[in-house]
Amino acid sequence: MASSPPLQDRVAIVTGSSRGIGREIALHLASLGAKLVINYTSSSNHADSVAAEINSNQTTPRAITVRADVSNPEDVKSLFDTAERAFNSQVHILVNSAGVLDAEYPTIANTTVESFDRIMNVNARGAFLCAKEAANRLKRGGGGRIILLTSSLVASLKTGFGAYTVSKAAVEAMTKILAKELKGTGITANCVAPGPVATEMFFEGKTEEMVKRAAEENPFGRIGESKDISPVVGFLASDASEWVNGQVIRVNGGYV
């Protein structure tokens, strides 16, 4: 008898999943049997195409799209409400992949207050709001997973990424505390911290020289790809990862 996929019919919300790493994570979780909420903030076109890819050849839809700004508490609550209604189930898995950075790559001395606030708002406040909602609403007693994307920059501490790195360091500290506070629920909380990955956000504002340098700094001699990250998230979302809790997993090919 064929065994069922590891995430069979578990409901997963992936924020920022209309493109980049989030998109690849959503597609991967769907391939493991999960039902997906594809979250986006601006244009629905990319999100719709991800959902269509998951729903092709399915008798009943296994993916829906939901517009929500992760920095807005009402939007985050609505994201979970919509997921529960659509799939008639509690949410099992939250992956927070939504994030922004300053593509001018300013030093801290030259970072504007507006830029700092925007980055903290989406990256730190957004992760807090999503994790807070998940901690209160994910299925208890097993299979509950909170996975927050941070960055290997928290370890490499490169110049030009000050506000972004600060926002991700805050998320890593919060996750470690959250894992302890969720004692008795069966819900785990972990961070996945990619190094440079070939996404629109990575390439924005970078010269060819900067990209080449990032590739050369890696033992593999290349930039990461979204598909390098998604299987690690897939593992953390599954029952196989139950004993991994409160951890930051740096997925960067040895870059840091």
Side-chain angles (χ1 to χ4, degrees):
M1 193 177 92
S3 59
S4 55
L7 300 180
Q8 185 64 48
D9 292 337
R10 293 187 192 181
V11 176
I13 293 174
V14 184
T15 69
S17 51
S18 63
R19 57 182 79 192
I21 295 173
R23 176 184 188 277
E24 194 62 42
I25 289 169
L27 293 172
H28 183 68
L29 295 184
S31 78
L32 299 178
K35 295 175 174 176
L36 265 297
V37 177
I38 310 299
N39 158 251
Y40 66 97
T41 45
S42 44
S43 162
S44 66
N45 296 354
H46 294 287
D48 288 342
S49 78
V50 181
E53 191 169 330
I54 293 169
N55 289 329
S56 63
N57 306 320
Q58 300 289 341
T59 45
T60 54
R62 300 185 63 82
I64 60 164
T65 62
V66 180
R67 184 176 185 195
D69 172 357
V70 294
S71 67
N72 180 323
E74 290 307 313
D75 278 19
V76 174
K77 181 180 180 298
S78 163
L79 187 57
F80 278 78
D81 290 343
T82 307
E84 289 175 357
R85 274 199 311 271
F87 296 116
N88 194 26
S89 162
Q90 275 183 286
V91 177
H92 300 77
I93 300 153
L94 165 78
V95 182
N96 185 49
S97 178
V100 294
L101 57 67
D102 186 336
E104 299 288 325
Y105 308 105
T107 60
I108 289 169
N110 291 321
T111 299
T112 66
V113 173
E114 291 74 20
S115 173
F116 182 86
D117 285 347
R118 180 180 75 98
I119 289 167
M120 293 301 287
N121 212 25
V122 174
N123 297 1
R125 176 185 162 104
F128 158 70
L129 290 172
C130 289
K132 173 181 163 68
E133 200 70 25
N136 284 304
R137 294 179 66 167
L138 287 192
K139 184 179 183 299
R140 282 162 151 63
R145 301 285 183 263
I146 296 172
I147 303 160
L148 305 175
L149 264 73
T150 59
S151 171
S152 286
L153 285 163
V154 177
S156 67
L157 300 171
K158 288 198 172 300
T159 57
F161 295 89
Y164 180 78
T165 304
V166 166
S167 72
K168 296 299 194 179
V171 175
E172 293 188 1
M174 178 182 72
T175 304
K176 291 174 184 182
I177 294 167
L178 180 62
K180 295 175 183 176
E181 292 177 347
L182 287 168
K183 181 178 181 177
T185 63
I187 299 168
T188 64
N190 293 288
C191 291
V192 171
V197 175
T199 62
E200 284 174 42
M201 190 168 95
F202 171 76
F203 289 120
E204 193 184 352
K206 286 189 178 71
T207 61
E208 271 185 50
E209 182 51 44
M210 288 164 82
V211 173
K212 187 162 169 267
R213 196 160 60 240
E216 284 168 356
E217 284 174 352
N218 197 298
F220 280 87
R222 67 172 175 87
I223 301 293
E225 294 177 27
S226 295
K227 67 178 191 323
D228 294 320
I229 313 302
S230 54
V232 181
V233 177
F235 164 71
L236 288 176
S238 75
D239 291 344
S241 72
E242 187 171 59
W243 207 235
V244 181
N245 193 17
Q247 304 303 311
V248 176
I249 301 179
R250 306 223 181 275
V251 189
N252 58 39
Y255 173 74
V256 177

